[in-house]
Amino acid sequence: MLDLNFVRENLDTVRTALRNRNFPTDLLDDFAGMDSERRKVIAESDQINARRNAASKEIGALMQSGKLDDAESKKVEVAGLKDRQAELDEQRKEFESRMSDLLANLPNIPAADVPVGEDEAANVEVRRWGTAREFDFEVSDHVDIGERLGILDLERAVKITGSRFAILNGAGARLERALVNFMLEVHTREHGYTETLPPFMVNRKSLFGTNQLPKFEEDLFHIKDERGFALIPTAEVPVTNYYSDEILEAKDLPKYFTAYTPCFRSEAGSYGRDTRGLIRQHQFEKVELVKLTMPENSEEEHEKLTANAERILQLLGLPYRTVVLSTGDMGFGSRKTYDIEVWLPSQNTFREISSCSNCGDFQARRMNLRFRRAGGSKPEFVHTLNGSGLAVGRTWIAVIENYQQADGSVVIPEVLQPYIGGLEKIG
RNA sequence: GGAGACAUGGCUGAGCGGCUGAAAGCGGCGGUUUGCUAAACCGUUAAGGGUCAAAAGCCCUUCACAGGUUCGAAUCCUGUUGUCUCCGCCA
C-alpha cells in the first residue's frame, strides 16, 4: 500500500507508475477532491469533539460544586452538538473507506531502474549461467519420461481430484522430497536462513498484508467456512506476515526465513495455458525465501536473495537465465522483480522457476510491520522481500528433462544423491 | 463440544464513571559518577491523524474488535475474536 500523503504529494509520479504498469489512471482523478473533502470533515469533527470534551469537563466541575441547574443547561448544549457529530461521523467513515479502498487497489511504484515496457517482451536479461546440453537423441518432455518410468501419474490424479493435479510415485516422489530437503539445507546451512513451517491456511487479514486481497480474490482457493480462511497461494503470505502489527528492533534486522509449503492456486484465467504436465498446477510445492530488512539495505538484500535462489540451480547443474521484469510484467506489490528461468530442452526455451521481488515498504504498510532504529526514533516500516528458492515442481521437471538419457532413464545430479538414499539414476 | 477466568504502552503489570493517554517496574535514550566495564543516581521515553510551507504548539482518536448506556467510559451493558484453566473427544 502506498502512503496517503505520498500519493497526495506525488500524484504525477503515481499516475506515471500506473500507466507504466498498464493500470487505468482514472482511479486517481478524483483523489485530490476526495482527500480535501475528507480532511474538511475531519477538521470539523475534531473541533466538535473538542467542544464536547470541554463541556463534559465543565459539567463534572459544576456538579461537584452543586450548581445542578448550570450543569443541566450544559447538557442540553452538548446534546445539540451530537446530531452534527453523528452526521460528520457518517461522512468521515464514508470518505475513509473510499480512500482506503482506493489505496488498497493502487500497485507499488516500480523502482527507477526497472525497464519500462508493456509486457514480458520488455523484460531484460541480466545474466545467463550454464550451457544447454547437446542431445544426440530426440528429447522427450517430462510427461513422457515420467509416465514411461512410472513415476508420474496424471490420469489418476484427474480421476481423484481433477485437471491440473498430479501424482508422483516411487522415485518421482522421492526426487521431489529430495529436492525440498536439498534446497532447505542449502538455504539454512549456507545462506543463513531460518527454516519455518507455517500454516497452510491463512485469514483474510494476512492475505491483505501480502496483497492477494482485495484485487486477486479469484486466484485463491477459499475454505467454505465462516472464518474466511484460504489455502496459501505461496508461503510468502504466512511467513511475511509473521511479525505483522509488531515493532521490531533495528538490531533484530535483517530477518531471513525459508519455508517449504505446498501452494494452492486456482489459476482462474489461465485456461489453455500450459495444460500439459506439471508446469501449471492447482497444487505445487515450493521452498520460499523471505527477508525483512532495513530500507537502506533492501536493494542489496534483493540481489543476495536472487543469488541464493540461483545457487540452487548452479549446484544442480541446470542452465538458467535471470531477467528483470518490465513495469508491465511485474507483480502488484513489487518495486523490482527478477525472474529466474531454467532451461527446458523439450520446449527449447527458458521457463520461470523463481520470482524474486523487493516490495519495499508496500507490504509492511499493509500489515503494519515496523522497526525502530537504535536511539529511540519513530518506528519505520521495514522492507519485505520474497523469492522462490525454488519452485520444486518445476525443478523436478528441469532435472528430469535436462538429465534424461537415450535409454529413457534419468541420472540424478550428484549433489542430490545424498538426499535420495544414494540413488544414481531413475530407470 | 461443555464450564469458568482473562484481554491495558516495546515488555511485565496497577487502574474508584470525571483529577488516567494511563501508576509502578523492566527495557530504550540522554546525563552524573567511574581509569574502563558493571553498578548506582538524575532526567526522558506510546501510536495514528488534523491544523501549519515546516518545526514548535494546539486539537482529535486509540486500553483486543464492533456496537450500546452516559454530559462524560480503560472502568457499566451486548456481541465478536483471541488466550488460559478444568472436563469430554482426538492424530
Side-chain angles (χ1 to χ4, degrees), chain A residues 2 40 70 88 101 150 153 167 178 209 238 244 271 279 288-289 328 351 389 413:
Chain A
L2 300 176
K40 246 182 248 168
D70 292 349
L88 288 166
D101 280 357
D153 190 340
I167 297 168
S244 62
Y271 304 110
I279 289 274
E288 183 76 355
L289 304 173
R351 291 302 305 257

Side-chain angles (χ1 to χ4, degrees), chain A residues 4 30-45 84 87-103:
Chain A
L4 177 60
D30 48 353
F31 178 91
M34 210 197 299
D35 183 53
S36 77
E37 283 301 304
R38 176 187 133 262
R39 286 187 292 161
K40 246 182 248 168
V41 170
I42 289 174
E44 188 182 346
S45 166
R84 180 61 183 155
E87 208 176 297
L88 288 166
D89 274 354
E90 201 60 32
Q91 289 180 30
R92 181 174 183 160
K93 271 188 194 165
E94 171 68 20
F95 275 122
E96 284 180 349
S97 94
R98 276 166 64 188
M99 295 301 282
S100 61
D101 280 357
L102 189 150
L103 284 176

Side-chain angles (χ1 to χ4, degrees), chain A residues 28-223:
Chain A
L28 290 178
D29 287 351
D30 48 353
F31 178 91
M34 210 197 299
D35 183 53
S36 77
E37 283 301 304
R38 176 187 133 262
R39 286 187 292 161
K40 246 182 248 168
V41 170
I42 289 174
E44 188 182 346
S45 166
D46 281 359
Q47 273 172 29
I48 292 184
N49 264 329
R51 278 161 67 192
R52 279 183 57 196
N53 290 341
S56 290
K57 272 201 176 130
E58 286 169 37
I59 290 169
L62 289 170
M63 288 178 64
Q64 275 197 333
S65 57
K67 295 177 182 162
L68 295 183
D69 289 349
D70 292 349
E72 283 308 317
S73 68
K74 274 276 175 206
K75 284 189 192 181
V76 174
E77 189 188 317
V78 174
L81 292 173
K82 273 191 149 178
D83 290 341
R84 180 61 183 155
Q85 181 77 66
E87 208 176 297
L88 288 166
D89 274 354
E90 201 60 32
Q91 289 180 30
R92 181 174 183 160
K93 271 188 194 165
E94 171 68 20
F95 275 122
E96 284 180 349
S97 94
R98 276 166 64 188
M99 295 301 282
S100 61
D101 280 357
L102 189 150
L103 284 176
N105 284 290
L106 290 180
N108 203 352
I109 310 275
D113 58 348
V114 167
V116 175
E118 222 171 279
D119 51 31
E120 68 269 15
N123 295 349
V124 174
E125 182 176 313
V126 292
R127 60 186 157 266
R128 197 179 274 233
W129 185 92
T131 43
R133 193 178 137 203
E134 301 274 343
F135 290 89
D136 52 9
F137 56 91
E138 181 141 356
V139 297
S140 302
D141 79 352
H142 70 280
V143 178
D144 289 338
I145 302 167
E147 288 183 339
R148 262 196 321 258
L149 291 172
I151 59 174
L152 174 64
D153 190 340
L154 292 167
E155 276 181 36
R156 289 194 181 83
V158 171
K159 174 180 72 178
I160 293 168
T161 306
S163 67
R164 292 199 192 278
F165 285 87
I167 297 168
L168 299 180
N169 288 320
R174 294 179 74 198
L175 175 60
E176 178 92 359
R177 179 161 53 84
L179 285 167
V180 169
N181 284 331
F182 166 66
M183 292 176 193
L184 287 172
E185 288 300 315
V186 171
H187 292 314
T188 54
R189 293 217 299 239
E190 295 179 26
H191 298 152
Y193 290 78
T194 301
E195 184 174 351
T196 178
L197 183 58
F200 300 163
M201 295 183 206
V202 287
N203 60 31
R204 297 185 66 85
K205 189 165 179 252
S206 297
L207 289 161
F208 180 84
T210 37
N211 30 270
Q212 280 73 28
L213 294 181
K215 269 189 84 72
F216 307 102
E217 183 102 49
E218 69 285 354
D219 294 343
L220 299 165
F221 280 112
H222 295 278
I223 307 293

Side-chain angles (χ1 to χ4, degrees), chain A residues 44 52 70 136 145-146 183 253 261 317 327 329 356 361 364 390 393:
Chain A
E44 188 182 346
R52 279 183 57 196
D70 292 349
D136 52 9
I145 302 167
M183 292 176 193
L253 295 175
T261 70
T327 53
D329 198 28
C356 302
D361 63 6
L390 306 159

Side-chain angles (χ1 to χ4, degrees), chain A residues 294-358:
Chain A
M294 305 234 272
E296 59 271 34
N297 300 331
S298 71
E299 289 185 18
E300 184 193 337
E301 294 284 1
H302 184 213
E303 299 297 327
K304 281 165 63 184
L305 183 146
T306 307
N308 295 153
E310 290 178 20
R311 177 80 181 137
I312 299 293
L313 289 171
Q314 292 169 11
L315 290 169
L316 290 171
L318 295 169
Y320 68 86
R321 65 171 192 166
T322 301
V323 301
V324 58
L325 298 190
S326 74
T327 53
D329 198 28
M330 61 199 279
F332 182 80
S334 179
R335 274 177 58 75
K336 183 175 179 180
T337 298
Y338 291 115
D339 270 11
I340 304 171
E341 300 176 340
V342 71
W343 179 255
L344 289 190
S346 72
Q347 299 188 7
N348 200 36
T349 187
F350 291 99
R351 291 302 305 257
E352 178 188 342
I353 197 167
S354 172
S355 190
C356 302
S357 297
N358 180 358

Side-chain angles (χ1 to χ4, degrees), chain A residues 6 15 43 126 209 248 258 264 324 334 338 354 371 374 400 408 412:
Chain A
F6 174 86
R15 198 170 270 122
V126 292
L248 303 173
T258 184
F264 303 91
V324 58
S334 179
Y338 291 115
S354 172
F371 78 101
I400 295 285
I412 307 281

